[in-house]
Amino acid sequence: SQTIHQWPATLVQPVGSPLSLECTVEGTSNPNLYWYRQAAGRGLQLLFYSVGIGQISSEVPQNLSASRPQDRQFILSSKKLLLSDSGFYLCAWSRTDSNQPQHFGDGTRLSIL
Amino acid sequence: DAKTTQPPSMDCAEGRAANLPCNHSTISGNEYVYWYRQIHSQGPQYIIHGLKNNETNEMASLIITEDRKSSTLILPHATLRDTAVYYCIVRVVMWSGGGADGLTFGKGTHLIIQP
């Protein structure tokens, strides 16, 4: 069966510090990968998606970037965090077949001080 | 913006069937209906999806009306662990190549299972 792992589960960072969140998927190959953010009391916002190694599409302009150095690894980064980057960050994967559901990790709760 | 409308909250007695409605009157012919749920502080959990036929799996049943303008998620025997926010989503195609598509989550229905 397939599993998705995100870490860390919680993170407290000062404004201006860098960020690296990691997501890995096991039990499948060539998945589509996604980064979402959920701000407090709001819905999920798609940040990035990737259909293959080195292929990243950004959905919203922001202070964040994403990379996919390996087939089942997806990394969310920032060089300098802003207060507005606080939120619940979720990684998800799906098969490449059309209309296959996305499966989410347990998320990282990021607080910026 | 979400393309679905759901009641903000519902109660259901433990052991009874929970029926969660969703309106999606502007759904296109090739758009699927997906249901997810999210327990506080966890990632969304996929439940079920369908196009036009009714679907059933180990978690739930999905009933889609013939005109596809609404659907109902049925949890046949609700337990306390089913308390969560349930999201009905119409899949938005964001990449014409048929690859990765984002899911647009609305506010969902907060289902509370009463003991």
Side-chain angles (χ1 to χ4, degrees):
Chain A
S1 62
Q2 299 81 27
T3 57
I4 180 169
H5 303 280
Q6 277 187 253
W7 65 93
T10 59
L11 188 61
V12 180
Q13 291 285 96
V15 170
S17 63
L19 173 74
S20 181
L21 301 181
E22 189 163 343
C23 171
T24 60
V25 180
E26 297 177 356
T28 188
S29 59
N30 195 32
N32 292 333
L33 296 172
Y34 310 80
W35 278 112
Y36 288 85
R37 176 171 58 202
Q38 187 175 35
R42 305 183 67 178
L44 269 68
Q45 178 186 36
L46 178 66
L47 302 176
F48 302 94
Y49 66 86
S50 171
V51 298
I53 295 174
Q55 300 180 62
I56 309 295
S57 295
S58 174
E59 290 304 303
V60 293
Q62 58 210 315
N63 184 40
L64 303 168
S65 62
S67 62
R68 184 170 177 174
Q70 300 181 45
D71 181 46
R72 291 169 290 170
Q73 183 185 30
F74 206 23
I75 297 172
L76 183 69
S77 304
S78 174
K79 293 182 179 179
K80 295 180 69 173
L81 286 167
L82 307 172
L83 284 174
S84 58
D85 291 324
S86 292
F88 190 39
Y89 288 83
L90 290 153
C91 181
W93 76 273
S94 71
R95 298 187 193 282
T96 55
D97 296 345
S98 179
N99 296 314
Q100 287 298 303
Q102 295 177 21
H103 301 276
F104 289 81
D106 289 333
T108 294
R109 191 161 301 281
L110 175 64
S111 299
I112 310 300
L113 303 179
Chain B
D1 292 334
K3 297 171 66 174
T4 62
T5 303
Q6 299 176 253
S9 65
M10 291 181 61
D11 288 348
C12 179
E14 188 178 16
R16 304 296 294 271
N19 296 275
L20 292 91
C22 179
N23 288 321
H24 31 79
S25 58
T26 61
I27 192 170
S28 301
N30 62 350
E31 288 183 313
Y32 282 66
V33 179
Y34 291 78
W35 282 84
Y36 284 78
R37 71 181 182 184
Q38 188 172 24
I39 296 170
H40 183 62
S41 296
Q42 296 182 19
Q45 178 188 23
Y46 165 75
I47 300 173
I48 199 168
H49 74 286
L51 181 62
K52 54 183 178 181
N53 297 322
N54 297 338
E55 302 288 344
T56 296
N57 63 20
E58 66 278 4
M59 290 183 66
S61 295
L62 174 61
I63 308 298
I64 302 175
T65 58
E66 190 169 345
D67 64 7
R68 303 213 317 128
K69 292 184 177 182
S70 65
S71 60
T72 301
L73 178 74
I74 301 173
L75 307 178
H77 304 287
T79 70
L80 296 177
R81 288 186 293 181
D82 291 321
T83 293
V85 179
Y86 287 76
Y87 296 98
C88 169
I89 299 162
V90 169
R91 192 165 181 258
V92 177
V93 176
M94 296 182 118
W95 188 52
S96 60
D101 301 339
L103 296 176
T104 300
F105 284 68
K107 296 186 176 180
T109 296
H110 187 194
L111 175 66
I112 299 172
I113 306 301
Q114 304 284 1

